[in-house]
Amino acid sequence: MMPFEFKQDDVLPQVIHVIPKKFEDPRGWFAETYRADVFAEAGIAGPFVQDNHSRSADAGTIRGLHFQAPPYAQGKLVRCVKGRILDVAVDVRRSSPNFGRAMSVELCADSGAQLFIPRGFAHGFCTLEDDTEVVYKTDAYYAPSHDYGIAHDDPAIAIDWPVPPHARILSDKDRALPSLADYLKLESIHEEER
Ligand SMILES: Cc1cn([C@H]2C[C@H](O)[C@@H](COP(=O)(O)OP(=O)(O)O[C@H]3O[C@H](C)C(=O)[C@H](O)[C@H]3O)O2)c(=O)[nH]c1=O
């Protein structure tokens, strides 16, 4: 019995859904959450070098949309370990036919489902319950100098967040993030300066 099921996303095929098998018994359940060999066979090669863990106190908290610019781009293997989130990935690779397209999926602690978001994609999520915790592996270290983001409510991406604008909780940093179009202008300025 394979301990994991892997499925390419229908909208962004480089994003991979991971469904671990739960072995239930009268005590509760057990599940493997990561295996380098079968994950590599499914295209989630790693190696992962950093684990992150965030807790959000209130439902309606939106973190993102974040990504690190090359050469510090990060692939992320995301799992909700308490509560529920709507997890979102956006293709921000200039040359991609899916540039600017978004996908979303609900992840919750009960299902243990994971999402792999490759390098070149922005990541964000909205919590659907109070006291929600998310853990994720990254395949590159945190690099604050290359830590960028785009506005969660960029109309050109049109993510259908499950919380009305007035009820969303964001960091000041995330509220000030540029649109994808404005980020690209900034990026070309940075490239000229190099
Ligand atoms: C990401 C990161 C942050 N930090 C420090 C920097 C700040 O002082 C503090 C909070 O960082 P930030 O506001 O960027 O955290 P989130 O808003 O949860 O951002 C994360 O959540 C979205 C959904 C992501 O996909 C990214 O992995 C990440 O950007 O932790 C670190 O020390 N190391 C790190 O790897």
Side-chain angles (χ1 to χ4, degrees), residues 161-168:
W161 296 106
V163 182
H166 71 273
R168 296 171 189 169

Short mmCIF file of all heavy atoms in Angstrom, two decimals, residues 161-168:
data_model
loop_
_atom_site.label_atom_id
_atom_site.label_comp_id
_atom_site.label_asym_id
_atom_site.label_seq_id
_atom_site.Cartn_x
_atom_site.Cartn_y
_atom_site.Cartn_z
N TRP A 161 -10.35 35.16 -2.50
CA TRP A 161 -10.12 34.90 -1.06
C TRP A 161 -11.47 34.67 -0.36
O TRP A 161 -12.45 35.35 -0.68
CB TRP A 161 -9.37 36.06 -0.42
CG TRP A 161 -7.99 36.26 -0.97
CD1 TRP A 161 -7.57 37.26 -1.82
CD2 TRP A 161 -6.84 35.44 -0.72
NE1 TRP A 161 -6.23 37.09 -2.11
CE2 TRP A 161 -5.77 36.00 -1.45
CE3 TRP A 161 -6.61 34.29 0.06
CZ2 TRP A 161 -4.48 35.45 -1.43
CZ3 TRP A 161 -5.34 33.74 0.08
CH2 TRP A 161 -4.29 34.32 -0.65
N PRO A 162 -11.49 33.78 0.62
CA PRO A 162 -12.76 33.42 1.29
C PRO A 162 -13.18 34.40 2.38
O PRO A 162 -14.08 34.11 3.15
CB PRO A 162 -12.44 32.04 1.89
CG PRO A 162 -10.99 32.06 2.13
CD PRO A 162 -10.37 32.92 1.07
N VAL A 163 -12.49 35.56 2.45
CA VAL A 163 -12.77 36.54 3.50
C VAL A 163 -12.92 37.91 2.84
O VAL A 163 -12.09 38.27 1.99
CB VAL A 163 -11.60 36.58 4.51
CG1 VAL A 163 -11.88 37.56 5.64
CG2 VAL A 163 -11.30 35.20 5.08
N PRO A 164 -13.97 38.68 3.18
CA PRO A 164 -14.14 40.01 2.57
C PRO A 164 -12.97 40.93 2.94
O PRO A 164 -12.38 40.77 4.01
CB PRO A 164 -15.46 40.52 3.14
CG PRO A 164 -15.72 39.71 4.37
CD PRO A 164 -15.05 38.39 4.17
N PRO A 165 -12.62 41.90 2.08
CA PRO A 165 -11.45 42.76 2.33
C PRO A 165 -11.40 43.38 3.73
O PRO A 165 -10.34 43.39 4.36
CB PRO A 165 -11.57 43.84 1.24
CG PRO A 165 -12.29 43.15 0.12
CD PRO A 165 -13.25 42.19 0.78
N HIS A 166 -12.55 43.82 4.24
CA HIS A 166 -12.52 44.53 5.55
C HIS A 166 -12.17 43.59 6.70
O HIS A 166 -11.78 44.02 7.78
CB HIS A 166 -13.87 45.20 5.81
CG HIS A 166 -14.98 44.21 6.11
ND1 HIS A 166 -15.73 43.62 5.11
CD2 HIS A 166 -15.43 43.69 7.28
CE1 HIS A 166 -16.60 42.77 5.66
NE2 HIS A 166 -16.44 42.81 6.98
N ALA A 167 -12.33 42.26 6.45
CA ALA A 167 -12.12 41.30 7.56
C ALA A 167 -10.76 40.62 7.47
O ALA A 167 -10.44 39.75 8.29
CB ALA A 167 -13.22 40.24 7.51
N ARG A 168 -9.94 41.00 6.48
CA ARG A 168 -8.64 40.32 6.31
C ARG A 168 -7.60 40.88 7.27
O ARG A 168 -7.52 42.09 7.48
CB ARG A 168 -8.15 40.49 4.87
CG ARG A 168 -9.07 39.84 3.84
CD ARG A 168 -8.71 40.20 2.42
NE ARG A 168 -9.75 39.73 1.52
CZ ARG A 168 -9.83 40.07 0.23
NH1 ARG A 168 -8.91 40.90 -0.29
NH2 ARG A 168 -10.81 39.62 -0.52
#
